[in-house]
Amino acid sequence: MEPHPQRYGFDIAARPALPETADDLAALNRDGYVILEDLIDQARCDAIRAETARLLKGGGRNSFEGFNTQRVYNVLAKTRLLDDLIDHPRVLALLDRLFEPNYLLSQAQLINIRPGEAAQRLHFDDGFYKLPRPRAPLGAATIWAIDGFTDINGATVIVPRSHLWGQLPVPADVDAVPCVMPAGSAVFFLGTLWHGGGANRSDASRLAFTGQYCAPWLRQQENFFLEVPRETVRSLRPTIQSLIGYSIYPPFMGMVDSMHPKRLLEA
Ligand SMILES: O=C(O)CCC(=O)C(=O)O
């Protein structure tokens, strides 16, 4: 049977570029990452930190999560304070130009690296899609500094221009640099860029929020359909509904009973 997705068309179509978009994209293509400074204000960072305190529990389950690192998963079901970060216009302007319409949020989480945490193993985020490198990125990520990132408090470290690498594994003498940036800023990087959480050699925690995105035809890391209750999804704005999968990759990937998944949200 022919599905009827046209009623909703593209949920996320390329919006006009922002004044910063051309420079952001040029840096991204050249280096594999770009730091976007001062996107949210201190009051919002403080509110996120306060909300996070309520949600954080325990430590990581393995060295990749970080035994001394706390993570909050499934944030969309737990708080509305991160929505503006997930679909921030500066972020969407880049995603619009990297991926086909209706690209997806793959996962979103808060990451609190506590004092004494060791450096995370370097990795690239779209590595679980097992297609050979070099290649175009299949995803991209943001890591937001809710606490300012310094060179000793566990700032994300990145390997500039490693998005172009084909060889695996990462060379032993790699030069990883910390993304030093004020609270309220974000580093945006391609899914092919090598990076990791830094060692926290300070005496304070480093709180971050990360949003990972993927092409619209890929499986997301989080299963938002099972994670986020239907009532909560109804209350989200359309951009975020689309990002978590209430959208299609035309003509019909993502359909529900031959129709657009947003129909599930109708009364
Ligand atoms: O917390 C960070 O700075 C990076 C974390 C990361 O890359 C990951 O957990 O996959």
Side-chain angles (χ1 to χ4, degrees):
M1 188 198 301
E2 184 67 20
H4 308 285
Q6 293 81 358
R7 178 174 164 197
Y8 291 93
F10 287 120
D11 301 293
I12 303 180
R15 284 152 278 247
L18 301 174
E20 302 91 345
T21 306
D23 287 350
D24 288 348
L25 260 184
L28 200 53
N29 285 324
R30 185 186 62 235
D31 301 327
Y33 77 101
V34 58
I35 290 183
L36 312 174
E37 287 216 349
D38 299 324
L39 300 185
I40 53 169
D41 62 18
Q42 191 59 49
R44 173 57 68 104
C45 292
D46 293 345
I48 293 172
R49 195 178 305 100
E51 182 90 319
T52 304
R54 177 177 74 80
L55 300 171
L56 285 176
K57 291 188 198 71
R61 294 163 292 186
N62 50 56
S63 62
F64 188 81
E65 279 192 327
F67 292 113
N68 218 0
T69 295
Q70 298 170 303
R71 292 172 186 257
V72 181
Y73 292 96
N74 190 16
V75 294
L76 278 166
K78 298 175 182 167
T79 176
R80 295 277 61 78
L81 279 184
L82 301 164
D83 292 7
D84 292 346
L85 284 59
I86 290 170
D87 69 353
H88 192 283
R90 193 91 176 264
V91 171
L92 295 188
L94 290 174
L95 294 168
D96 281 347
R97 285 156 184 83
L98 291 171
F99 303 112
E100 290 181 86
N102 292 359
Y103 49 80
L104 297 163
L105 184 68
S106 183
Q107 77 152 290
Q109 62 172 283
L110 289 154
I111 307 179
N112 191 44
I113 299 186
R114 293 192 286 191
E117 181 61 279
Q120 188 187 38
R121 161 173 76 71
L122 293 176
H123 58 281
F124 59 99
D125 281 341
D126 66 12
F128 40 73
Y129 303 121
K130 298 192 190 314
L131 295 177
R133 297 174 57 121
R135 56 166 168 74
L138 301 167
T142 52
I143 298 185
W144 292 73
I146 306 304
D147 293 315
F149 281 14
T150 71
D151 53 8
I152 60 162
N153 77 346
T156 309
V157 297
I158 50 92
V159 184
R161 292 175 288 286
S162 59
H163 63 304
L164 303 172
W165 290 359
Q167 80 275 18
L168 294 169
V170 63
D173 59 347
V174 68
D175 225 357
V177 295
C179 296
V180 174
M181 55 184 171
S185 309
V187 56
F188 183 111
F189 55 90
L190 301 176
T192 40
L193 190 82
W194 286 85
H195 70 281
N200 189 344
R201 299 185 304 278
S202 77
D203 55 11
S205 305
R206 182 232 68 176
L207 182 61
F209 169 69
T210 181
Q212 292 187 24
Y213 306 83
C214 65
W217 43 273
L218 284 168
R219 180 160 188 180
Q220 296 146 284
Q221 294 168 72
E222 286 187 58
N223 190 326
F224 294 106
F225 304 109
L226 295 177
E227 277 186 340
V228 188
R230 190 83 53 85
E231 269 321 297
T232 306
V233 176
R234 283 200 182 94
S235 74
L236 300 174
R237 49 182 176 256
T239 311
I240 297 192
Q241 290 174 341
S242 172
L243 279 170
I244 65 174
Y246 290 77
S247 53
I248 53 159
Y249 179 62
F252 39 65
M253 277 171 74
M255 67 181 170
V256 175
D257 202 4
S258 93
M259 290 186 288
H260 194 289
K262 269 197 181 171
R263 294 203 180 197
L264 286 181
L265 303 178
E266 293 171 356

